[in-house]
Amino acid sequence: MSEPLLPTDPASIGGHRLLARLGAGGMGVVYLGRTESGSLAAVKVIQSEFADEPEFRARFRREVEAARRVSSPWAVPVTAADPDAAAPWLATAFVPGPSLEEAVRRHGPLPVRSVRVLGRMLAAALSEVHAAGLIHRDVKPANVLLAVDGPRLIDFGIARAADETAITSTDLVIGTPGFLSPEQAEARGAEMGPASDIFSLGGLLAYAATGHPPFGTGTADALLYRTVHDEPDLSGIEADRSEGSDDPDNPEDSELPALLRRCLAKDPADRPTAEHLGAVLLIEDAVPEGGRIDWLPEDVVRSIADRSAEMLALPDIEPTVSDAPADEEPASPSRRRLLVLASGAALALAAGGTAAWAVLRDDDTPAKPTARRWAIGVQADLSGAQRTAGRAQEQGARLAVEQFNARRNKPFELTLKTADDGGTAGRAPAAARKLIQDADVLAVLGPTNDQTAHAVLGAYDEARLPLLCVSAGGLVLTRNEYRSFVHCRPSDAALSLPMTVYLLRQNAALRPGLLQDRTAQTYAQETASINAMMLRQMGSPAYPRVIPAGTDDMGPVVADMLRAGISSFIYAGYAPGAATVARELAAAGFDKPRLSSQAVIDPAFLEQAKEAAEGWVLTSSFVDPAAVPGSAPFTAAFRKRYGAAPGYYAAEAYDAVNLVLQELVKATKAGRPPRRQELAGLLRKSRYKGITKEFSFKPEDGTFAGWGIFLHQVEGGRFRFLGAAPSEV
């Protein structure tokens, strides 16, 4: 997906007229560019703060040299570059299709035949990479773009020559956890060779065939450990014996799961070469000379076509700071509104997100100036699966804004602007763009879940627009060093901390059972990892079990845990799985402490578990406002405004907006609030006592620094709020 250029973006780079932004990351920005001949290119430009650092410039120069040495129809070619420019840049041929990661996330796993064709073409690309004396070192789904005629391998940013000394430290893990090889995971640089890329390719193909990474999800440390010690999870791949195999007694050469296991062998010597892998996969998928292979499902092909149509419909060239002509003849004001940049001061304001607009009427009579209404934005799921939580946040935020506007001595008026992302990562960027491009929006509350938050954090950070999350909670949200993110709740992993304390207080931590349900992916991994660590540190190691995603029959694993003599039970996963486990435990007569975290505080748990849910204790980052004495005025105001009791997250959203208002009022001068960038810094340094918790943050990364964890228990078929969770034994 492309985004408009920002006012501070350059107009051109190395003869490429810039048309739009394709993305931004830690090292730089990627633009959609057009050459004088009309061809399109993806132009990657290093950020200025890195360009002067010799290590970054050397790495970028190495990327250029590496990419130029690879010649393959399945690798994106370099078309131009200047690693020695003041702002080093690299241009590659533009591929409008989605990445493999995006295609699988949106449309599900690919058919076996598609995976085989994908593997053959990428093996051919890696064969060229290795023939050039290079190791790619970051073969992953996000680095493969899909086109109708085949995939394209991209991003040689961490590739290095096999016979050269790496610039990076020998004990530094390079690559993407979950798709790197065991030798990468253990930073065994001397052992890294072409076989490392084959392991990563095996993981990529496993992801394409199953829809999940072969070593699960979770924290980087957990992924690295499983890569080195665990067998890959290839569940969901049907056996695919090729017809016409010359060696029917050797299933490793004809069945995709067995072939992937060879690629994912822990010992590099046991993996096939790229040439051998390509030859094996060539058996049934040879392409006629001059012909074309239909290798992708229809829905993915349709997605490629839609993306191509969208990206190739070139946007109008937006004026930028560096190329706005001073003597350009303005269009007639009677035909359209004009953006007036009357002076250098106004230009600076526009760059900071507070553009000055002059609206002229059709009769050319200047309108009377009116007081500007600044805004708080809400990006939330207002129409999707989590719309109950999203709407509660929107209502709590709106109540806070309305109460602010009712003050007598307010420094300015505020309004609330919403953007519905439907709770999906696909819709989230457009919703964020709506709020980012509105210069009146000073801060944004949301999004509702981790997937949507992860999809837009980079965009909000690029715009330096403060983003306050009260419901999304994964550790992955703070993995990057975002500058404008403010996490208004403890992480999902932190919600596991009180469970050990609770069990110790109940004298039920002698042998706790810990079940990780991989259906919940990262959420379950974080919950299980923290619980296992805490219990071990407190001298009560858990009896752990892990079940594959989609497991319906929980009976065998529950029976095994009961035979092991567990004295309590912790479930790491979502509400439907918890309900299934609850019924199994109840049928076995197990009534000892049973715990889980806030994903299970869901009506589905009560409906599906019924009486078996009684007694379960659950941790959360939110309160039940009706059960908190200090929130009585809020609850009454909410009922008066909306005719119903506030739902979960309504009070947290109300608090977060009042936190923003506190800092806005303190920093407002002459009726003008602080700029976005300044407000982000102020919020990270702030302290605020709300009705739900005390808010404070780590200034360096915006993570929540308070406690703010609560307990709920199922009683009488409902969730009863117990209050703050214990933090000390």
Side-chain angles (χ1 to χ4, degrees):
M1 302 291 287
S2 63
E3 298 181 359
L5 295 173
L6 299 179
T8 51
D9 284 329
S12 63
I13 291 286
H16 298 80
R17 189 66 169 87
L18 302 187
L19 305 175
R21 281 175 161 239
L22 297 177
M27 277 187 61
V29 180
V30 181
Y31 298 99
L32 174 63
R34 183 174 58 195
T35 65
E36 293 182 0
S37 65
S39 60
L40 297 178
V43 185
K44 178 179 180 179
V45 184
I46 280 189
Q47 291 183 10
S48 57
E49 55 261 43
F50 298 134
D52 293 332
E53 297 183 18
E55 291 184 1
F56 275 96
R57 190 175 286 273
R59 173 175 169 174
F60 193 80
R61 186 179 292 108
R62 186 177 72 246
E63 176 180 353
V64 172
E65 294 171 353
R68 279 176 164 165
R69 289 160 62 180
V70 176
S71 176
S72 168
W74 316 124
V76 175
V78 172
T79 57
D82 188 355
D84 297 314
W89 59 273
L90 165 71
T92 60
F94 176 65
V95 180
S99 69
L100 174 64
E101 179 183 53
E102 180 183 349
V104 172
R105 189 172 66 242
R106 290 191 175 190
H107 304 290
L110 298 180
V112 168
R113 181 174 179 276
S114 297
V115 176
R116 289 173 60 86
V117 178
L118 175 69
R120 175 172 62 79
M121 294 176 175
L122 291 180
L126 285 178
S127 181
E128 293 294 331
V129 170
H130 299 160
L134 300 172
I135 309 166
H136 189 286
R137 300 207 299 175
D138 201 20
V139 179
K140 61 181 179 181
N143 278 345
V144 172
L145 302 179
L146 300 182
V148 175
D149 63 342
R152 300 293 189 276
L153 182 64
I154 65 170
D155 201 349
F156 291 80
I158 59 175
R160 72 176 176 94
D163 58 352
E164 293 176 356
T165 301
I167 291 178
T168 50
S169 171
T170 56
D171 61 353
L172 183 65
V173 174
I174 300 296
T176 302
F179 292 98
L180 40 65
S181 65
E183 51 269 34
Q184 284 177 288
E186 294 187 323
R188 305 195 305 262
E191 299 180 30
M192 282 186 52
S196 180
D197 285 344
I198 298 301
F199 187 97
S200 299
L201 177 59
L204 176 149
L205 296 176
Y207 172 81
T210 66
H212 59 77
F215 298 101
T217 58
T219 62
D221 287 346
L223 290 173
L224 296 176
Y225 179 88
R226 292 199 293 268
T227 297
V228 175
H229 299 285
D230 292 359
E231 290 302 310
D233 178 8
L234 301 182
S235 57
I237 306 179
E238 60 179 284
D240 175 50
R241 185 179 298 281
S242 302
E243 296 180 3
S245 174
D246 293 333
D247 186 3
D249 295 327
N250 184 9
E252 292 181 341
D253 284 349
S254 57
E255 295 182 3
L256 183 60
L259 186 61
L260 295 183
R261 288 191 182 91
R262 289 186 61 196
C263 294
L264 294 167
K266 305 301 183 187
D267 187 344
D270 293 336
R271 302 170 201 155
T273 64
E275 292 82 357
H276 176 70
L277 184 61
V280 170
L281 295 172
L282 190 64
I283 293 173
E284 77 172 87
D285 291 314
V287 183
E289 185 174 351
R292 184 171 125 182
I293 190 168
D294 295 326
W295 69 289
L296 288 171
E298 289 186 7
D299 53 352
V300 178
V301 173
R302 193 178 307 113
S303 177
I304 293 174
D306 292 343
R307 175 65 60 85
S308 299
E310 175 188 349
M311 298 299 294
L312 296 178
L314 298 180
D316 293 334
I317 297 174
E318 299 291 341
T320 60
V321 170
S322 59
D323 74 330
D327 55 353
E328 181 178 343
E329 181 69 19
S332 170
S334 62
R335 297 178 183 174
R336 62 173 181 166
R337 296 178 178 181
L338 302 177
L339 170 62
V340 178
L341 299 177
S343 66
L347 187 62
L349 288 175
T354 51
W357 290 82
V359 181
L360 302 184
R361 298 173 179 170
D362 286 344
D363 60 2
D364 293 348
T365 303
K368 292 183 180 181
T370 58
R372 184 170 182 175
R373 284 186 66 124
W374 304 97
I376 301 294
V378 174
Q379 177 178 343
D381 178 1
L382 302 177
S383 59
Q386 294 176 294
R387 59 185 177 275
T388 300
R391 291 173 181 174
Q393 292 181 44
E394 184 268 336
Q395 291 172 335
R398 188 174 300 279
L399 182 60
V401 169
E402 290 174 352
Q403 290 180 348
F404 174 81
N405 287 336
R407 298 181 189 178
R408 290 186 177 181
N409 298 320
K410 57 184 177 296
F412 47 74
E413 285 270 335
L414 271 176
T415 188
L416 193 79
K417 298 186 177 182
T418 62
D420 178 15
D421 59 24
T424 67
R427 289 177 57 183
R433 201 155 50 238
K434 172 185 174 182
L435 297 174
I436 290 170
Q437 293 175 354
D438 188 334
D440 292 342
V441 175
L442 301 173
V444 173
L445 176 76
T448 309
N449 61 45
D450 284 32
Q451 291 74 29
T452 49
H454 188 60
V456 300
L457 274 169
Y460 280 109
D461 195 62
E462 182 72 23
R464 304 301 293 272
L465 178 57
L467 181 68
L468 298 90
C469 282
V470 299
S471 54
L475 287 174
V476 70
L477 302 179
T478 56
R479 182 175 61 189
N480 296 322
E481 294 183 359
Y482 297 112
R483 299 164 294 180
S484 59
F485 182 54
V486 183
H487 208 187
C488 294
R489 54 153 291 187
S491 69
D492 289 335
L495 298 185
S496 300
L497 299 175
M499 294 186 189
T500 298
V501 177
Y502 179 89
L503 292 178
L504 289 170
R505 287 188 171 189
Q506 299 291 319
N507 296 317
L510 296 177
R511 189 168 176 76
L514 176 58
L515 179 60
Q516 177 187 339
D517 185 345
R518 282 189 172 172
T519 303
Q521 300 182 348
T522 303
Y523 180 82
Q525 172 61 32
E526 292 179 359
T527 302
S529 296
I530 296 299
N531 270 302
M533 180 188 70
M534 288 292 295
L535 290 165
R536 187 168 55 251
Q537 289 180 350
M538 299 303 292
S540 299
Y543 180 74
R545 291 298 304 270
V546 179
I547 55 175
T551 300
D552 293 324
D553 185 4
M554 302 286 193
V557 69
V558 170
D560 174 79
M561 298 178 80
L562 294 176
R563 283 195 300 269
I566 60 172
S567 59
S568 55
F569 186 90
I570 297 175
Y571 173 77
Y574 294 150
T580 302
V581 169
R583 292 195 301 269
E584 294 288 348
L585 290 171
F590 186 87
D591 59 358
K592 298 175 182 178
R594 291 142 291 157
L595 295 90
S596 192
S597 55
Q598 70 181 35
V600 178
I601 305 179
D602 185 315
F605 178 62
L606 301 179
E607 294 166 3
Q608 297 175 26
K610 300 186 178 353
E611 293 81 4
E614 290 294 310
W616 276 65
V617 175
L618 310 160
T619 61
S620 79
S621 66
F622 53 77
V623 303
D624 178 355
V628 177
S631 71
F634 162 77
T635 302
F638 193 97
R639 281 186 175 277
K640 181 178 179 181
R641 174 67 173 82
Y642 299 108
Y648 295 140
Y649 294 117
E652 284 73 19
Y654 178 84
D655 275 350
V657 172
N658 276 307
L659 164 64
V660 175
L661 296 175
Q662 169 188 279
E663 297 306 311
L664 283 176
V665 171
K666 290 193 318 187
T668 294
K669 297 178 181 178
R672 189 174 194 84
R675 292 169 55 184
R676 292 173 169 180
Q677 179 176 344
E678 180 185 355
L679 179 59
L682 293 173
L683 290 171
R684 286 184 166 193
K685 297 176 183 177
S686 67
R687 298 185 69 88
Y688 177 74
K689 184 173 177 57
I691 59 176
T692 61
K693 61 178 74 76
E694 290 192 20
F695 293 81
S696 61
F697 313 93
K698 296 180 181 178
E700 62 272 15
D701 59 12
T703 55
F704 188 74
W707 181 240
I709 304 177
F710 309 95
L711 293 182
H712 305 249
Q713 187 168 26
V714 179
E715 290 185 7
R718 58 180 291 271
F719 298 109
R720 184 171 74 86
F721 182 67
L722 300 181
S727 59
E728 298 179 356
V729 179

